[in-house]
DNA sequence: GCTGTTATACTCGGATAGAAGATGTCCGAGTCTTAACGG
DNA sequence: CCGTTAAGACTCGGACATCTTCTATCCGAGTATAACAGC
């Protein structure tokens, strides 16, 4: 059970976009450069975020990505789901209905208890991630940075927005 | 983010072993037959469970697997971890330390806020799964079964223990 | 000087390879059973 | 009739293929920009 690498990238990128001026998009190339990520592959995940409605895109020169909603209204769960897909983590294949002692189909109207347990666990995880927003992540990152890093960040922003 | 198929198999198999007589092991072949699972592949997961100390093995004729502990002391989390591995679901690669605005190593003594958020979410899921035991799963399965299925199960048990 | 047009460069978007992990299968090592054999 | 022993069959254990998913990359489609020519 593991999250793909793209989830980490997606959250960091969204936090970066939250700190950028909202009237101006950041290109995939700039976003990749900021974290030294492979530009083409990051672009793939950015497309997934755009398809999910978390980012809006502008093409052409001075185009790029920006947050589709205020950062406080985008949860970490939405980002993870946009990149990883929306299926449940535990997929019950109903093996109780197979084999020599198969349960009758009538008895299987209620979901399998094991699947229900994992679904409850996944819900608990989802609830935590739904309560944490991109704004929270950006705030934490900003508070952890010293003045030197903040100055470097501002300088990078104006350069990336050229 | 998803659990492998082996986790489902492992939990079902452990629940089955919980219902079997504790003085007598069940072979991998019998366990596979019960759910119509590929025997060789299920054996692989059974080995993982044995390595993790959840099952004990006996070789030779009339050998097989049995629970190493009472079913009420084996949690679903332990089963999942034994099969999937113990690493964290979200692995922070510290991309904040890379790029033109890299955070200083000194500022990174405290863990990344994003990684902490995902770790908290994973802990929430783990806590739920730690509270649910194999005994609970076996009980639910038994209560969902009708009398016909219970009779078939008992008949299968004596045949598998031949 | 202003406006319309056109060429350009920059951006996203989906289609296309490669690597890693999960899935599935096989045969050898080990051991308990069992039955034959000798005492 | 009993103890010993050796063969046999059954079991687990790890090494060996196959396949899906994740990772990584490239080139074409589309658009705002900016230069340029005409008025």
């Amino acid at each position: 059970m593991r999250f793909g690498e793209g989830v980490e990238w997606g959250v960091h990128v969204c936090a970066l976009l939250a700190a950028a001026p909202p009237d101006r998009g950041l290109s995939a190339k700039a976003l990749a450069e900021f974290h030294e990520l492979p530009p083409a592959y990051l672009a793939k995940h950015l497309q997934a975020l755009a398809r999910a409605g978390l980012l809006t895109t502008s093409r052409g020169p001075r185009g790029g990505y920006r947050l589709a909603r205020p950062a406080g209204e985008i949860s970490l769960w939405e980002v993870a789901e946009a990149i990883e897909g929306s299926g449940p983590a535990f997929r019950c294949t109903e093996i109780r209905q197979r084999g020599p002692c198969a349960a009758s189909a009538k008895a299987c109207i209620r979901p399998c208890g094991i699947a229900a347990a994992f679904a409850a666990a996944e819900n608990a995880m989802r609830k935590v991630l739904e309560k944490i927003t991109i704004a929270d992540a950006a705030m934490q990152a900003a508070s952890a940075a010293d003045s030197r890093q903040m100055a470097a960040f501002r300088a990078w922003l104006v350069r990336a927005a050229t």
Side-chain angles (χ1 to χ4, degrees), chain A residues 38-114:
Chain A
Y41 188 31
L42 177 63
K44 195 180 193 67
H45 292 312
L46 292 172
Q47 288 168 28
L49 291 170
R51 269 195 298 270
L54 301 183
L55 301 182
T56 59
T57 63
S58 311
R59 303 182 80 163
R62 306 184 68 82
Y65 294 92
R66 68 193 76 182
L67 294 180
R69 283 179 266 157
E73 297 175 13
I74 301 178
S75 69
L76 297 192
W77 175 256
E78 286 179 282
V79 175
E81 193 176 37
I83 292 178
E84 296 259 295
S86 59
F90 185 92
R91 287 150 306 162
C92 181
T93 56
E94 290 289 340
I95 62 177
R96 61 177 173 170
Q97 295 187 34
R98 310 175 50 145
C101 303
S104 62
K106 186 179 65 183
C108 293
I109 297 175
R110 304 190 57 177
C112 171
I114 293 170

